[in-house]
Amino acid sequence: MNILYVTSSLRGGASYSGQTGERVLAELREHNPDAKVVLRDLAKNPLPHIDGDFVAATRGPDGATTAQQRALLAQSDVLVDELFAADVIVIATGMVNFSIPSTLKAWLDYIARPGRTFSYSEAGPKGLVTGKPVVLIAASGGIYADKRALDFQVPYLKQVLSFLGMTEIEVLDVGGTAFGADAAAKAVDAALQQIQTRCTEAATRAVA
Ligand SMILES: Cc1cc2nc3c(=O)[nH]c(=O)nc-3n(C[C@H](O)[C@H](O)[C@H](O)COP(=O)(O)O)c2cc1C
């Protein structure tokens, strides 16, 4: 099993989404001891914003025609290949200004590639990254469970991931981290409880 682990917290080791992510990986490894994890740390290694060269290289009629455009295409290809190589994708992120860190947005911009990760047809767009469950760990200072109209983090991520074909998304909500360390620890534990139950169910199904 290949696991792609995408992190983007701005808060280093203090990150609650990161702490939850590590424990989710431990849980997945327990059920799949040979699992290989590829880490894509977008906070430590941010991608540049996409620009005119990126669009020309990935969507223009002539493709990449300059060294800069070829480099951007190659970077995007690496990220897309990494995605296709994964059996499971774990994304850990914290809410930033009601949405996602710009580093995670840049990653989405690099992987959303017509002809590679989605295609257009008469029936409309079709996601090509199929059959890959996603564990989406979403930390936030506030609690949005009853205020989804204010949440542009989880609904946005679910929309863009499912557009690309990743429709099986398990959301682990680590909400309320701003309410103190105890509340945050409880939110992490509640999220983990959810994934443990899911892993046990999946493992039970696998041996049944
Ligand atoms: C720059 C910045 C902006 C933030 N914006 C929001 C926000 O709009 N709503 C919210 O509930 N929490 C917000 N927070 C709080 C974070 O979502 C919270 O600290 C969360 O735990 C971050 O994830 P992490 O612990 O994995 O880093 C913000 C934090 C930072 C640093």
Side-chain angles (χ1 to χ4, degrees):
M1 177 197 255
N2 287 326
I3 303 170
L4 174 60
Y5 180 37
V6 181
T7 59
S8 57
S9 171
L10 310 168
R11 303 180 334 102
S15 163
Y16 291 111
S17 63
Q19 288 171 30
T20 311
E22 289 300 330
R23 289 169 64 184
V24 166
L25 292 183
E27 188 68 26
L28 291 174
R29 279 200 191 99
E30 194 169 311
H31 292 276
N32 305 277
D34 299 331
K36 185 175 157 253
V37 179
V38 171
L39 171 64
R40 176 58 59 181
D41 185 335
L42 299 168
K44 278 200 187 132
N45 300 297
L47 298 157
H49 286 172
I50 59 167
D51 59 9
D53 278 326
F54 180 89
V55 174
T58 57
R59 298 178 189 226
D62 302 324
T65 56
T66 67
Q68 171 66 2
Q69 290 172 5
R70 280 190 288 276
L72 291 168
L73 182 63
Q75 173 68 84
S76 173
D77 280 340
V78 165
L79 297 165
V80 170
D81 291 345
E82 205 166 75
L83 191 61
F84 277 114
D87 301 300
V88 177
I89 298 145
V90 179
I91 299 175
T93 188
M95 181 181 275
V96 171
N97 298 323
F98 299 98
S99 180
I100 60 172
S102 56
T103 51
L104 181 58
K105 174 62 166 59
W107 179 75
L108 294 168
D109 290 339
Y110 275 77
I111 61 163
R113 286 268 306 279
R116 287 221 60 194
T117 54
F118 70 97
S119 63
Y120 293 111
S121 73
E122 279 179 9
K126 185 172 159 220
L128 303 177
V129 192
T130 54
K132 298 178 191 300
V134 177
V135 180
L136 174 57
I137 302 155
S140 55
I143 294 174
Y144 293 85
D146 298 324
K147 292 184 285 179
R148 283 293 171 210
L150 304 180
D151 174 10
F152 298 89
Q153 177 193 35
V154 172
Y156 169 69
L157 286 167
K158 282 173 94 169
Q159 165 59 29
V160 68
L161 294 169
S162 58
F163 175 80
L164 299 177
M166 292 166 272
T167 51
E168 200 186 323
I169 303 171
E170 179 82 30
V171 178
L172 303 187
D173 185 355
V174 186
T177 63
F179 291 86
D182 284 353
K186 278 192 188 135
V188 169
D189 283 343
L192 284 163
Q193 193 99 46
Q194 227 173 303
I195 194 74
Q196 278 160 355
T197 308
R198 290 296 177 142
C199 281
T200 307
E201 280 169 5
T204 311
R205 271 200 308 275
V207 294

